[in-house]
Amino acid sequence: MSELVIKNGKLVLPDKIFEGDISIDAGIISKVGKDLKGDKVVNAEGNYILPGLIDVHVHFREPGASSKEDWNTGSFAAASSGITTVLDMPNTQPPTTTVKLLDKKREIAASKSTVDFGFHFGASTENMDELRKVEKIASVKFYMSSTIGNLFVGNDAVLFEELKILAERDIPGIFHAENREMVQHYMQRLINEGRTDPEAYSDARPNICAAEAVNRIIFLSKMAKNRLHFCHVSTKEEVDIIARNKSILPLTAEVCPHHLFLNKEDLRKLGSLVKTNPPLRSKEDQNALWKGIQDGTIDVIATDHAPHLMESKEKDIWSAPAGVPGVETMLPLLLNEVNKGNLTLNQLAKLTSENPARIFRIKDKGKIKEGYDADLVIIDLKKEKKVRNDKLFTKCGWSPFDGWKLKGWPVMTFIRGNLIFDNGDINKIKGREVSYG
Ligand code: NCD
Ligand code: ZN
Ligand code: ZN
Ligand code: ZN
């Protein structure tokens, strides 16, 4: 007899849907089968069950900006929406560029997070020695132009030397790929022209800025022989270059919900609220991202959950901070597409769980499979609900998707067998740092 059995689910396994039960012992999936018996039973009532989502791109803002988000609120927001593991970005204050600072962040997360967690370490122009010794990280993040937090590597020689260190140590490099000089040039030009309309922000970072940076990193990585992953791919040009290089390089790519579901038109309507780096693009770019998902060029969907307070977003397009929150809306947005027939549940599970675990070598997560952590989300594909700012767990208190009516919502989330989200209620547990294989 198992400790816990979740019965009558439609289980989204890596390559099929299986109608049956999951038994859980000591937080681990002990069996996937039919008619399993347990001391405790949860009835999934014929709903689909996904492996818990692994969001490889969040900014939970601690240390340094806990007025926007902290590990408590950020992890609640994640848990309420089927995300059971997050990988946090290093552009905190101070940035996570030394082993010491990383250890501090580990302590904060361990004491406050309800979801499981891991970290991307930050590359700077000065921290090569740290890159040689840092352990237990998902990757090293390179900001090629400054974004929020003023962390970047602005010198190609240093960048190349750092990539070689990663290659030696077999750590993936991940990239915020935008050409810094180009961004500065175009931005200054538009400011000088007196542009203040929200769309000016997209025009200030045209596609070439991202495409050039991706192209350069691909070349440098080919020479340095490191593994590489592109964050928030947003243009058709990037999709193109990535597709052409995927078979010859250990190269993976991520897109974010805001680039999949919003475009320049929304920037016109919502203004600074949807200012983000890289910016919202054209309808054509949006279509190229969806096509990249369908043909396998894109491996991961992650949120780039980048909360900022509403009052700071109320500034003009040049002064407002860049970034939008996303952990609470990713899964319902994608389930809504499943309902429309644009995505299958198996694809969704690959993009948000299996591939993230594989790419960052997160142990025992990413699949509904015997021996794996019992990180599970029960979803109700028929549930219709509006995204509402006043119902969110994120500390920033708003979503760019406020008012969107979506069909398909998570109803229960389990982390290592613990029921942490139950139809609107959060049960706080202690999240644990992931290990890497
Ligand atoms: C991010 C943030 O606010 O930390 N902002 C953003 O526009 N995406 C930084 C980043 O990921 O570039
Ligand atoms: Zn970024
Ligand atoms: Zn980001
Ligand atoms: Zn509202």
Side-chain angles (χ1 to χ4, degrees), residues 57 141 143 176 232 277:
H57 191 154
K141 172 84 178 263
Y143 290 93
H176 176 120
H232 45 47
N277 293 334

Side-chain angles (χ1 to χ4, degrees), residues 387-390 402-403:
V387 177
R388 287 181 45 171
N389 282 351
D390 51 359
D402 179 47

